[in-house]
Amino acid sequence: MRSTQAHANDLIEIHLAEQVYTPSQEEGFVFPSNVTIYGGYDISPVDGTASGKTRNPRTPANPEGNMTVFKVDDPNGRLVLVHENQNIKFCGIIFDGSSLAAESSLNGRAMLIENSTVAIDSCVFNGFYFNAVSNSAVTAIAIEKGKGKETSKVSIKNSTFTQIKGGQVGACISVMDDSELEIWNSCFNNNSSLYRGGVTLLSYNASPKINIYNSTFYDNQCTSPIGYYGRVLMRFVGGNPAVNIYSSTLSGRFYKEAGTLNIYNSLVECAGRCDEYSNNYPAKSRFLEATKDANETMWAKEFLSNFKGTIASKLSTRGGITQVLMPSNKLEIVGRAGAPHKLTPFDQRGIQRSSISSTFGACDADYSAVIEMTDQGCPDRKNTKASFKSTISGLTNARYQWVDNYNDLPDQKSSTMKDAPLGTYWLEVNGYDAMGNYVTVSSNEIRVSDVCEDPGIFYVKTLDKGGSDEFNGTTWDQAFQSLEKAIDAVAKYKKENGADAPATIHIAGGEYKLQKDAGLALGELRNVKVIGGYGSSPLKGAKRAHKRTPSDPGFETRILAHSEKGKFTTFASSNKDWKFTTIHFVGTENAVNPFFTMNGGQLTLDSCLMSGCWSDNNAPFLHLAETSKLIVNSCYVYSNKSANGAFLNVENKGNKSNITICGSTFSDNTSVKNGGSVIYTANSSPTIYVVNTTMFNNSCINKSMAGVETIRLSSGHPSLNAIHSTLCGAYFIEQGNAKFSNCIVEAVGNADVIGGYMQAKTDLTGASQTVSEADHNEFKTLFSNIKLGNSNTPVLTLIKQMNKVNVAKASCPECSTSKDQTGADRKADAVTPGAVEQ
């Protein structure tokens, strides 16, 4: 191109009229250093006229512009080769490979860059199709290492890559050199590869430095993904690449296998092994597992639903060289987003970003007002206050007005606000947009609420009452919607503050279904309280008024399993000091797993309702498989069914669990096989205390000799201590020992110690014969109908004076028997045995 060596370093400009340019050799157009190629003039430009001076290149944002096209017909050829050349620039060129009928196996079909400095501005790359069975990368632009010592520096701005079909790996850009690559304000859409992904960008066994700014990636796909290889957008394999992504929208999945990947102030659908996320939404998955299925379309649909319009109109071309995704209001209300990257003060359409925070991802609104909370204080933990500052973009002659709960604040007319008390605040700004229209714009909303709650306290309420797992869960106003999210928050809190730091989860009234059949994953969490029984929309300081019985009018917090195969949770030996208070646990019909399983640990159930675990299999409500500590206090347990021990089943040799049941009621529980509808032990050695408790209307469907209605200690060396309780139904102790102190017991077989209790006629001595109907009815005549006492449990009330019995000195380490089940003080001189004092 240069006729003499004297002009070798001159800056050369090549201006191309609208037409198709086809290289005459397989290696494509070869340009020397210091050349800029301009496209976009009309078909017959004339010197000295507008047509000879004004460029109008066709782009997706300018579909009426002039087409300057590089096109190749040779199946083995490429369009451009840049080999050890510096300072080459392409502006307004369409690189078109769509005319080829055959697929190519040539890497860098549009442009091969070796040891060169290249700038690509306002160009379009489309229609390149590559050999699908090629194991090597085949892409439109390839950056490779040539024979020279230098590395390449490539800049791509305001450009579009679309309808490019790669082979097994790669489609748009491959980087196989320790080069520097920057991508600005560009769009990658409707591109694909076959198996191993890396559709838009592939780094392979190299250590490049890659920065991506203010760009959009959408509707790219890996059509036949293989395991973790099938990462649609980007893939970084081998070497030590350093990749940074700023202020961009990335719809689709990408994966880093080597190097570092940092993502800032961007909308990211999901990324694998990202080193740093900062101010991102939503960062759904990190793909820690290598076998994750790469063809899950639901994520893409959910992600795209965050943008305005239908699928066809989610893109805007206003004022920009490339199409961009337009975020919906969900994304425009961003709160404390963090400032945009210093090199991306404008979005992809040229709209200036807010200096405080920007709408994550593709673009800002044409005009916006954004506020952030700059500080908050509550030294006495009562008077919470906060301060804000604001910036606006896109408006001139702005006038400010702060609003609190739909009321203008007359003295707040500047861009800042200090010491705002509890309330909901936003900013209304009046001004003129770029077209001179008078407009009003409202900022995002910020709530000043219970920001000074004690640490380690989290809140949950139902979705329809305003709960959301996108919240921080630290107040009722910002409550989570799932118990799982609250458990995750507790785990994070304990990781930061120590495993023994106390944590509490408050759950509003309503129904909560667990998200997985495996139930809650407790890890090694300990010292956690879960409290329900509030109203459905509680406020700070709300009191509990929970249901004490199924018919009680109080509030109810119901927790259900995910499905009939589901459970609530499994406790391990590390799960100590767990306490659930005023929760209604509802088991599953046709259950195949126990609702609770304890393989160790410590659990307290206080003032809870437990019902609905319904199974013909051995799936009780509570299964103690290994030595554990269980306390059941002031609970109502009803309508559970299983083969044995509908409420509690204790099994396995060496199981020395400690079980305490205080002030509770058990009714209408059913065994369908070997009895023990409330408690069944087999080949285990638990110590069981039953104190100040009532059991009635529990049954065993099996009427054979083995059918024992209420409690059966079948084998091992269990120990049962019943104190100050009324126990209807048949009890049978085959092994171990039992002691009944100051109780009313309908029928007991093989009791070892009698410590002052009154018993019905049938004692079931030896084998466990059924209590006769006559004996059972006679026993029931001692009581009036069931009534509710002053405590959390209903009781059977005596209607006949019982004979006084010897006062036994039985004790329970967890419970007091100084009061009866109604909460009344027991008499000091004598005890009326059983349910209640007269």
Side-chain angles (χ1 to χ4, degrees):
M1 297 181 65
R2 292 176 174 86
S3 59
T4 66
Q5 186 64 30
H7 297 285
N9 295 320
D10 289 350
L11 297 178
I12 301 298
E13 294 183 356
I14 301 174
H15 300 266
L16 300 177
E18 181 181 50
Q19 68 178 58
V20 176
Y21 298 86
T22 302
S24 59
Q25 51 192 359
E26 282 189 355
E27 64 181 2
F29 296 116
V30 179
F31 298 98
S33 298
N34 302 314
V35 172
T36 300
I37 299 96
Y38 291 101
Y41 295 95
D42 65 27
I43 194 168
S44 300
V46 178
D47 289 339
T49 67
S51 66
K53 295 180 180 179
T54 305
R55 293 193 313 116
N56 183 31
R58 178 173 297 188
T59 68
N62 183 28
E64 303 302 323
N66 300 319
M67 294 182 65
T68 302
V69 181
F70 285 4
K71 202 167 191 178
V72 61
D73 295 327
D74 185 347
N76 298 314
R78 65 167 48 93
L79 289 174
V80 172
L81 171 64
V82 184
H83 175 66
E84 297 188 4
N85 296 113
Q86 309 305 314
N87 194 23
I88 295 181
K89 184 174 183 179
F90 298 88
C91 298
I93 307 295
I94 297 174
F95 292 81
D96 186 8
S98 61
S99 64
L100 297 177
E103 295 177 330
S104 172
S105 59
L106 184 65
N107 198 20
R109 183 66 187 276
M111 188 180 302
L112 174 62
I113 302 172
E114 295 178 337
N115 299 61
S116 300
T117 303
V118 179
I120 299 169
D121 190 356
S122 305
C123 292
V124 175
F125 295 80
N126 73 281
F128 291 91
Y129 296 87
F130 295 96
N131 193 325
V133 299
S134 174
N135 289 316
S136 301
V138 282
T139 57
I141 295 179
I143 305 172
E144 298 185 354
K145 183 67 176 175
K147 296 180 180 180
K149 296 181 180 180
E150 301 296 328
T151 58
S152 296
K153 295 183 179 180
V154 180
S155 172
I156 301 173
K157 296 183 177 181
N158 306 316
S159 295
T160 297
F161 292 76
T162 185
Q163 298 180 15
I164 298 173
K165 177 183 176 183
Q168 290 193 24
V169 59
C172 296
I173 303 173
S174 59
V175 184
M176 300 181 182
D177 178 24
D178 298 345
S179 56
E180 296 180 16
L181 171 63
E182 290 190 346
I183 300 173
W184 295 77
N185 305 332
S186 295
C187 185
F188 295 74
N189 72 292
N190 292 317
N191 305 292
S192 67
S193 68
L194 187 59
Y195 295 126
R196 296 175 180 171
V199 177
T200 62
L201 181 60
L202 171 70
S203 172
Y204 188 75
N205 288 342
S207 301
K209 296 179 181 179
I210 302 174
N211 293 313
I212 300 174
Y213 306 92
N214 209 39
S215 293
T216 301
F217 300 76
Y218 73 99
D219 284 351
N220 302 286
Q221 62 177 325
C222 186
T223 55
S224 300
I226 298 178
Y228 76 99
Y229 289 113
R231 303 307 176 214
V232 171
L233 283 181
M234 303 179 191
R235 189 173 173 212
F236 310 107
V237 187
N240 188 30
V243 183
N244 299 294
I245 300 174
Y246 305 94
S247 302
S248 295
T249 296
L250 302 109
S251 174
R253 304 164 63 165
F254 55 101
Y255 191 64
K256 181 211 72 175
E257 296 175 52
T260 59
L261 170 63
N262 300 317
I263 305 174
Y264 306 99
N265 208 40
S266 296
L267 276 162
V268 184
E269 184 172 353
C270 34
R273 297 184 181 176
C274 183
D275 297 286
E276 180 177 351
Y277 288 100
S278 179
N279 295 330
N280 293 291
Y281 179 97
K284 277 259 180 170
S285 173
R286 299 194 177 192
F287 299 118
L288 296 180
E289 65 275 30
T291 58
K292 191 79 174 178
D293 180 14
N295 196 26
E296 298 178 24
T297 58
M298 287 304 295
W299 281 350
K301 291 180 179 178
E302 181 179 350
F303 183 82
L304 287 173
S305 68
N306 292 320
F307 298 93
K308 289 180 179 178
T310 63
I311 293 295
S313 63
K314 291 182 186 299
L315 301 171
S316 171
T317 61
R318 176 186 168 186
I321 200 70
T322 180
Q323 295 174 310
V324 294
L325 289 168
M326 293 288 292
S328 68
N329 288 334
K330 180 178 180 181
L331 301 180
E332 289 172 357
I333 301 175
V334 295
R336 301 172 67 181
H341 187 259
K342 63 182 180 180
L343 296 178
T344 56
F346 296 90
D347 71 13
Q348 292 155 306
R349 301 173 304 155
I351 303 298
Q352 186 173 3
R353 296 189 184 275
S354 165
S355 62
I356 287 183
S357 64
S358 66
T359 303
F360 297 141
C363 59
D364 275 350
D366 294 346
Y367 35 81
S368 63
V370 180
I371 62 174
E372 70 169 349
M373 187 179 293
T374 56
D375 59 79
Q376 58 193 44
C378 43
D380 56 1
R381 292 201 173 276
K382 294 180 181 178
N383 296 320
T384 302
K385 293 184 178 181
S387 297
F388 313 131
K389 68 178 180 179
S390 171
T391 61
I392 63 168
S393 61
L395 294 183
T396 58
N397 298 326
R399 289 180 291 180
Y400 299 86
Q401 176 63 68
W402 289 95
V403 181
D404 174 25
N405 295 327
Y406 301 99
N407 295 310
D408 290 351
L409 300 176
D411 297 327
Q412 299 293 339
K413 295 182 180 295
S414 67
S415 60
T416 61
M417 184 175 182
K418 295 183 178 180
D419 297 330
L422 295 183
T424 300
Y425 297 89
W426 62 92
L427 183 68
E428 291 186 352
V429 182
N430 296 316
Y432 294 91
D433 66 9
M435 304 299 293
N437 299 314
Y438 185 75
V439 297
T440 299
V441 58
S442 295
S443 73
N444 54 305
E445 178 184 282
I446 287 187
R447 298 179 183 180
V448 182
S449 56
D450 310 323
V451 294
C452 295
E453 284 284 353
D454 291 332
I457 299 178
F458 303 95
Y459 298 82
V460 179
K461 62 183 178 183
T462 58
L463 177 64
D464 64 325
K465 296 299 181 181
S468 172
D469 285 347
E470 299 294 331
F471 292 155
N472 59 20
T474 56
T475 69
W476 283 123
D477 284 341
Q478 291 285 307
F480 297 129
Q481 73 182 68
S482 70
L483 188 52
E484 285 86 351
K485 185 65 174 181
I487 294 293
D488 290 344
V490 167
K492 181 179 179 181
Y493 170 76
K494 286 180 172 289
K495 185 177 180 180
E496 296 170 351
N497 296 276
D500 291 317
T504 303
I505 300 172
H506 297 273
I507 310 180
E511 186 168 285
Y512 303 84
K513 179 174 284 191
L514 299 184
Q515 296 174 353
K516 297 180 180 179
D517 281 337
L520 298 180
L522 303 184
E524 296 185 354
L525 294 179
R526 59 179 182 264
N527 195 11
V528 179
K529 296 179 181 178
V530 182
I531 302 174
Y534 298 95
S536 60
S537 299
L539 302 174
K540 183 179 180 181
K543 304 299 183 182
R544 287 177 290 126
H546 61 280
K547 280 182 175 289
R548 296 177 292 175
T549 70
S551 59
D552 193 88
F555 300 125
E556 186 176 15
T557 300
R558 293 166 59 90
I559 297 179
L560 286 70
H562 179 67
S563 75
E564 65 183 27
K565 296 181 180 180
K567 58 171 60 180
F568 176 67
T569 194
T570 299
F571 285 83
S573 58
S574 58
N575 299 133
K576 298 178 180 179
D577 297 321
W578 275 82
K579 184 175 184 180
F580 293 89
T581 303
T582 55
I583 303 288
H584 186 175
F585 295 101
V586 183
T588 57
E589 295 186 12
N590 304 314
V592 295
N593 294 305
F595 199 64
F596 283 86
T597 297
M598 295 193 71
N599 296 321
Q602 300 174 8
L603 170 64
T604 298
L605 299 169
D606 187 10
S607 305
C608 293
L609 300 178
M610 290 167 270
S611 67
C613 187
W614 198 255
S615 172
D616 291 338
N617 297 314
N618 203 7
F621 192 90
L622 232 166
H623 181 216
L624 272 61
E626 298 180 27
T627 299
S628 310
K629 184 174 182 179
L630 172 67
I631 299 174
V632 180
N633 181 57
S634 300
C635 293
Y636 196 113
V637 182
Y638 66 100
S639 297
N640 299 288
K641 182 182 79 168
S642 78
N644 308 303
F647 169 65
L648 178 62
N649 196 323
V650 188
E651 294 184 326
N652 297 328
K653 187 176 180 180
N655 187 339
K656 298 181 179 181
S657 293
N658 190 295
I659 302 162
T660 301
I661 299 173
C662 307
S664 297
T665 297
F666 297 79
S667 71
D668 302 293
N669 301 288
T670 305
S671 166
V672 298
K673 189 176 181 183
N674 294 328
S677 60
V678 176
I679 300 174
Y680 183 90
T681 70
N683 195 29
S684 57
S685 304
T687 299
I688 304 172
Y689 290 91
V690 177
V691 182
N692 207 31
T693 288
T694 301
M695 298 182 184
F696 72 101
N697 285 350
N698 303 289
S699 61
C700 180
I701 294 176
N702 181 3
K703 296 297 183 180
S704 70
M705 297 292 285
V708 180
E709 290 177 337
T710 310
I711 295 179
R712 182 176 181 183
L713 312 182
S714 67
S715 58
H717 300 282
S719 174
L720 172 66
N721 299 274
I723 306 167
H724 293 287
S725 296
T726 298
L727 307 169
C728 302
Y731 294 66
F732 189 60
I733 298 91
E734 297 176 51
Q735 293 187 25
N737 60 80
K739 184 175 183 180
F740 296 85
S741 302
N742 290 22
C743 293
I744 302 175
V745 185
E746 183 172 355
V748 178
N750 284 0
D752 297 301
V753 178
I754 298 175
Y757 69 95
M758 182 165 184
Q759 183 177 324
K761 291 181 180 179
T762 306
D763 63 7
L764 303 181
T765 302
S768 164
Q769 71 267 24
T770 304
V771 178
S772 71
E773 189 70 21
D775 286 344
H776 187 63
N777 289 335
E778 180 179 351
F779 183 81
K780 291 177 68 174
T781 62
L782 297 171
F783 302 96
S784 65
N785 292 329
I786 188 168
K787 294 182 178 179
L788 186 65
N790 296 324
S791 70
N792 291 336
T793 178
V795 296
L796 291 172
T797 303
L798 288 167
I799 58 174
K800 294 183 180 180
Q801 180 65 41
M802 304 292 295
N803 295 328
K804 292 181 179 181
V805 296
N806 296 329
V807 178
K809 294 184 179 181
S811 64
C812 168
E814 304 290 347
C815 304
S816 170
T817 57
S818 62
K819 297 181 183 296
D820 70 15
Q821 292 160 303
T822 67
D825 291 334
R826 293 192 180 275
K827 297 177 181 178
D829 56 343
V831 176
T832 301
V836 65
E837 293 278 4
Q838 301 298 303

